[in-house]
Coordinates of all heavy atoms in Angstrom, one line a residue:
K38 N -15.6 -2.5 -12.5 CA -15.3 -1.3 -13.1 C -14.7 -1.5 -14.5 O -13.7 -2.2 -14.7 CB -14.3 -0.5 -12.2 CG -13.9 0.8 -12.8 CD -14.9 1.8 -12.9 CE -14.5 3.1 -13.7 NZ -15.6 4.0 -13.7
S39 N -15.4 -0.9 -15.5 CA -14.9 -1.0 -16.9 C -14.4 0.3 -17.4 O -14.8 1.4 -17.0 CB -15.9 -1.5 -17.8 OG -16.3 -2.8 -17.5
F40 N -13.4 0.3 -18.2 CA -13.0 1.5 -19.0 C -13.3 1.2 -20.4 O -12.6 0.3 -21.0 CB -11.5 1.8 -18.8 CG -11.1 2.1 -17.4 CD1 -10.4 1.2 -16.6 CD2 -11.5 3.4 -16.8 CE1 -10.1 1.5 -15.3 CE2 -11.2 3.7 -15.5 CZ -10.4 2.8 -14.7
G41 N -14.3 1.8 -21.0 CA -14.8 1.3 -22.3 C -15.2 -0.1 -22.3 O -15.9 -0.5 -21.4
L43 N -13.2 -2.5 -21.7 CA -12.2 -3.3 -20.9 C -12.6 -3.4 -19.4 O -12.9 -2.4 -18.8 CB -10.8 -2.6 -20.9 CG -9.8 -3.3 -20.1 CD1 -8.8 -4.0 -21.0 CD2 -9.1 -2.4 -19.1
K44 N -12.8 -4.6 -18.9 CA -13.2 -4.8 -17.5 C -11.9 -4.8 -16.7 O -11.3 -5.8 -16.6 CB -13.9 -6.2 -17.4 CG -15.4 -6.1 -17.7 CD -16.2 -7.1 -17.0 CE -17.6 -6.7 -16.9 NZ -18.5 -7.5 -16.0
A45 N -11.7 -3.6 -16.1 CA -10.4 -3.5 -15.3 C -10.6 -4.2 -14.0 O -9.6 -4.8 -13.5 CB -10.1 -2.0 -15.1
V46 N -11.8 -4.2 -13.4 CA -12.1 -4.9 -12.1 C -13.4 -5.6 -12.4 O -14.4 -5.0 -12.8 CB -12.2 -4.0 -10.9 CG1 -12.8 -4.7 -9.7 CG2 -10.8 -3.4 -10.5
G63 N -0.1 -9.4 -8.8 CA -0.7 -9.7 -10.1 C 0.1 -8.9 -11.2 O 0.8 -8.0 -10.9
G64 N -0.1 -9.4 -12.4 CA 0.6 -8.8 -13.6 C 0.2 -7.4 -13.9 O -0.8 -6.9 -13.4
S65 N 1.0 -6.8 -14.8 CA 0.7 -5.4 -15.2 C -0.7 -5.4 -15.9 O -1.0 -6.3 -16.7 CB 1.7 -5.0 -16.2 OG 1.7 -3.6 -16.3
G66 N -1.5 -4.5 -15.5 CA -2.8 -4.3 -16.1 C -3.9 -5.3 -15.5 O -5.0 -5.4 -16.1
S67 N -3.6 -5.9 -14.4 CA -4.6 -6.9 -13.9 C -5.6 -6.2 -13.0 O -6.6 -6.9 -12.6 CB -3.8 -8.0 -13.1 OG -3.1 -7.4 -12.0
G68 N -5.5 -4.9 -12.8 CA -6.6 -4.2 -12.1 C -6.2 -3.8 -10.7 O -7.1 -3.4 -9.9
K69 N -5.0 -4.0 -10.2 CA -4.6 -3.7 -8.8 C -4.8 -2.3 -8.5 O -5.4 -2.0 -7.5 CB -3.1 -4.1 -8.7 CG -2.8 -5.5 -9.1 CD -1.3 -5.9 -8.8 CE -0.3 -5.0 -9.6 NZ -0.4 -5.2 -11.1
T70 N -4.3 -1.3 -9.2 CA -4.4 0.1 -8.9 C -5.9 0.5 -8.9 O -6.3 1.2 -8.0 CB -3.6 0.9 -9.9 OG1 -2.2 0.6 -9.7 CG2 -3.7 2.4 -9.6
T71 N -6.6 0.0 -9.9 CA -8.0 0.4 -10.0 C -8.7 -0.1 -8.8 O -9.5 0.7 -8.2 CB -8.6 -0.3 -11.3 OG1 -7.8 0.0 -12.4 CG2 -10.0 0.1 -11.5
L72 N -8.4 -1.3 -8.3 CA -9.1 -1.9 -7.1 C -8.8 -0.9 -5.9 O -9.7 -0.6 -5.1 CB -8.6 -3.3 -6.8 CG -9.3 -4.0 -5.8 CD1 -10.7 -4.4 -6.3 CD2 -8.6 -5.3 -5.4
L73 N -7.5 -0.5 -5.8 CA -7.2 0.4 -4.7 C -7.9 1.8 -4.7 O -8.4 2.3 -3.8 CB -5.6 0.5 -4.7 CG -4.9 0.7 -3.4 CD1 -5.1 -0.6 -2.6 CD2 -3.4 0.8 -3.7
R74 N -7.9 2.3 -6.0 CA -8.4 3.6 -6.1 C -10.0 3.7 -5.9 O -10.5 4.8 -5.6 CB -8.1 4.2 -7.5 CG -6.6 4.5 -7.6 CD -6.1 4.6 -9.0 NE -6.7 5.8 -9.7 CZ -6.1 7.0 -9.8 NH1 -5.0 7.2 -9.2 NH2 -6.7 7.9 -10.4
I80 N -11.9 6.6 -8.0 CA -12.6 6.0 -9.1 C -14.0 5.5 -8.6 O -14.0 5.0 -7.4 CB -11.9 4.8 -9.7 CG1 -10.6 5.2 -10.3 CG2 -12.7 4.2 -10.9 CD1 -9.7 4.1 -10.8
Q111 N 3.0 5.2 -6.1 CA 4.1 4.4 -6.7 C 5.4 5.2 -6.7 O 6.4 4.7 -6.3 CB 3.7 4.0 -8.1 CG 4.7 3.0 -8.7 CD 4.1 2.3 -9.8 OE1 2.9 2.5 -10.2 NE2 4.8 1.4 -10.4
D189 N 0.6 1.9 -3.3 CA 0.7 1.4 -4.7 C 2.2 1.2 -5.0 O 2.8 2.1 -5.4 CB 0.0 2.3 -5.7 CG -0.3 1.7 -7.0 OD1 0.3 0.6 -7.3 OD2 -1.0 2.2 -7.8
E190 N 2.6 0.0 -4.9 CA 4.0 -0.4 -5.2 C 5.0 0.7 -4.6 O 5.8 1.2 -5.3 CB 4.3 -0.4 -6.7 CG 3.6 -1.6 -7.3 CD 4.2 -1.9 -8.7 OE1 5.4 -2.1 -8.7 OE2 3.5 -2.1 -9.6
I221 N 0.1 -2.9 -2.9 CA 0.3 -3.5 -4.1 C 1.8 -3.8 -4.3 O 2.6 -2.9 -4.0 CB -0.2 -2.6 -5.3 CG1 -1.7 -2.4 -5.2 CG2 0.2 -3.2 -6.6 CD1 -2.2 -1.4 -6.3
H223 N 4.6 -6.1 -7.1 CA 4.9 -7.0 -8.2 C 5.6 -8.2 -7.7 O 5.7 -9.2 -8.4 CB 5.7 -6.3 -9.3 CG 5.0 -5.8 -10.4 ND1 5.0 -4.4 -10.6 CD2 4.1 -6.3 -11.2 CE1 4.2 -4.2 -11.7 NE2 3.6 -5.3 -12.0
M238 N -4.5 -10.9 -8.3 CA -5.4 -10.4 -9.3 C -4.9 -10.9 -10.7 O -3.7 -11.0 -10.9 CB -5.4 -8.9 -9.4 CG -6.0 -8.2 -8.2 SD -7.8 -8.3 -8.1 CE -8.2 -7.2 -9.5
G241 N -8.5 -8.6 -14.0 CA -9.6 -7.9 -13.3 C -10.3 -8.8 -12.3 O -11.1 -8.2 -11.5
Ligands
ATP305 N1 -8.4 5.8 -16.4 C1 -8.3 4.8 -17.3 N2 -8.8 4.8 -18.5 C2 -8.8 3.8 -19.4 N3 -8.2 2.6 -19.0 C3 -7.7 2.5 -17.8 C4 -7.7 3.6 -16.9 N4 -7.1 3.1 -15.7 C5 -6.8 1.9 -15.9 N5 -7.1 1.4 -17.2 C6 -6.9 0.1 -17.7 O1 -7.4 -0.8 -16.8 C7 -6.6 -2.0 -16.7 C8 -6.2 -2.2 -15.2 O2 -5.3 -1.1 -14.9 P1 -4.6 -1.0 -13.5 O3 -3.9 0.4 -13.5 O4 -5.6 -1.2 -12.4 O5 -3.6 -2.2 -13.5 P2 -2.5 -2.6 -12.5 O6 -2.7 -4.0 -12.1 O7 -2.3 -1.6 -11.5 O8 -1.2 -2.6 -13.5 P3 0.4 -2.2 -13.2 O9 0.9 -3.3 -12.4 O10 1.0 -2.0 -14.5 O11 0.4 -0.9 -12.4 C9 -5.4 -1.7 -17.7 O12 -5.7 -2.4 -18.9 C10 -5.4 -0.2 -17.8 O13 -4.9 0.1 -19.1

Side-chain angles (χ1 to χ4, degrees):
K38 174 68 185 179
S39 295
F40 297 107
L43 181 109
K44 278 208 157 186
V46 168
S65 196
S67 60
K69 306 180 298 295
T70 297
T71 306
L72 192 66
L73 216 58
R74 289 161 68 90
I80 300 175
Q111 184 162 4
D189 197 346
E190 290 199 55
I221 294 176
H223 266 119
M238 294 285 294

